[in-house]
Amino acid sequence: MRKNLKTYQRLSSLPFGRQLFTFIVCRMAPYFSSIRPQIRELKPGYAEVTIKKRRKVTNHINTVHAIAMCNMAELAGGMMTDVSVPTKSRWLPVGMTVEYLKKATTDLTAVATGEEIEWKTGGDKIVPVEVTDTEGNLVFRAEITMNVRLA
């Protein structure tokens, strides 16, 4: 089992454990802290990340900035990839294609799914991430190319 998954499982059952896990992740990759994410769920093939709509992540028209959504998509996709690949594998995001589907005017949830991805082989894997608003409307979609190298 991957280190991040072990840590998440251990902390998530504690009060404020998910917040502590998210804090640890943001210490390892500080740019993610700019959106103040919360990792809500993490397991092989699935990750869920939320952000609050607040002034620091909005643009001039008071919607959540496109790059804030890219940031949360990369966090969700990266964490899901990390806990899905074989133990000694390495991975790296090498590309991202995004679609902005609707104005993001509320708090957001990003979900990365990878149950259909063959994680036991190396090479480029396309990780889908969908971002929805508080009403469940799809506002953003990303496909992140993760290069997986097996040990």
Side-chain angles (χ1 to χ4, degrees), residues 6-19 21:
K6 282 183 194 175
T7 304
Y8 175 80
Q9 289 175 340
R10 191 168 3 117
L11 292 176
S12 65
S13 62
L14 301 173
F16 302 104
R18 288 185 175 101
Q19 291 89 332
F21 179 76

Side-chain angles (χ1 to χ4, degrees), residues 8-41:
Y8 175 80
Q9 289 175 340
R10 191 168 3 117
L11 292 176
S12 65
S13 62
L14 301 173
F16 302 104
R18 288 185 175 101
Q19 291 89 332
L20 179 57
F21 179 76
T22 302
F23 175 79
I24 292 167
V25 169
C26 289
R27 292 284 293 171
M28 292 170 32
Y31 186 68
F32 289 126
S33 64
S34 67
I35 59 169
R36 283 196 196 154
Q38 285 298 309
I39 298 171
R40 295 284 180 212
E41 190 169 348

Side-chain angles (χ1 to χ4, degrees), residues 1 12 14 24 27 36 48 57 100 103 107 143:
M1 183 183 303
S12 65
L14 301 173
I24 292 167
R27 292 284 293 171
R36 283 196 196 154
E48 184 176 309
V57 296
Y100 306 103
K103 288 181 181 178
D107 298 346
E143 288 187 340

Side-chain angles (χ1 to χ4, degrees), residues 81 85 89-95 119 121-127 144-150:
T81 298
V85 297
S89 301
R90 300 182 63 94
W91 59 273
L92 185 68
V94 295
W119 295 110
T121 61
D124 287 347
K125 312 292 180 182
I126 305 298
V127 174
I144 305 172
T145 304
M146 300 291 189
N147 183 262
V148 175
R149 300 205 181 202
L150 302 178

